[in-house]
Amino acid sequence: MSPGFLILSILVVLLAVSVAALLYRLFALRGGGTAAILRVMPQNEGSGWRHGIVRYGDETLAFYKLSSLRPGPDVRLTRQGIDVRSRRKPEGSEFDIMTEDIVILDVIDRDDSYEIALDSGALMAFMSWVESRPDGRSQRRRPL
């Protein structure tokens, strides 16, 4: 077997694995979720935004980037740790990927800072999910 054939075979296998991972992620995300655009802060003005899908769980919000090959979520926010600091409209170059009806939330999850861009329906769902979280003091204690 020649070295060229071996290298070509390895490249074909890597390409097949990458395509399989992408297809798996696309089919997994077809199961539902809410469209969102998220960026980890701090970032330069207008950069770092990633399109994806948000899925709500009992304790966490999972964000899946559309362009990622990871099998799981790219970002997880904990329901008890989320604090919405402010909201704003898109500015400047953000209009290249967003419309006027988008609202951008400045969110902190413990020590991590994010901005998440949502349309009006997704904003209502997100705020309802955050505001309906149980009070940490009222949660049942598990018997030892």
Side-chain angles (χ1 to χ4, degrees):
M1 207 183 298
S2 71
F5 180 75
L6 182 61
I7 291 172
L8 182 61
S9 299
I10 291 171
L11 289 174
V12 168
V13 168
L14 288 174
L15 179 63
V17 168
S18 297
V19 168
L22 179 63
L23 288 174
Y24 169 79
R25 185 159 178 106
L26 287 175
F27 282 112
L29 293 179
R30 286 184 64 183
T34 303
I37 309 172
L38 182 133
R39 70 177 175 171
V40 179
M41 298 303 287
Q43 290 285 337
N44 293 330
E45 182 180 328
S47 67
W49 290 105
R50 300 292 177 253
H51 287 80
I53 299 292
V54 170
R55 287 196 177 152
Y56 298 98
D58 289 339
E59 300 300 323
T60 60
L61 174 144
F63 177 77
Y64 296 85
K65 290 182 200 174
L66 293 181
S67 61
S68 175
L69 295 178
R70 291 182 64 171
D74 297 287
V75 174
R76 282 191 191 271
L77 303 178
T78 58
R79 192 173 189 183
Q80 292 296 341
I82 290 177
D83 182 29
V84 178
R85 293 192 303 183
S86 65
R87 61 176 69 190
R88 66 178 179 86
K89 291 289 190 181
E91 302 168 345
S93 64
E94 292 173 337
F95 282 109
D96 293 343
I97 59 170
M98 299 178 204
T99 61
E100 291 179 13
D101 64 328
I102 297 289
V103 175
I104 300 172
L105 300 175
D106 179 10
V107 175
I108 292 179
D109 180 21
R110 300 186 182 162
D111 294 331
D112 300 320
S113 182
Y114 305 92
E115 281 191 331
I116 185 166
L118 304 164
D119 66 19
S120 60
L123 175 64
M124 188 180 308
F126 177 81
M127 295 307 294
S128 295
W129 181 77
V130 170
E131 292 169 359
S132 66
R133 65 185 164 206
D135 183 359
R137 294 173 288 161
S138 67
Q139 292 191 5
R140 290 186 200 168
R141 297 181 188 243
R142 294 184 180 160
L144 298 175

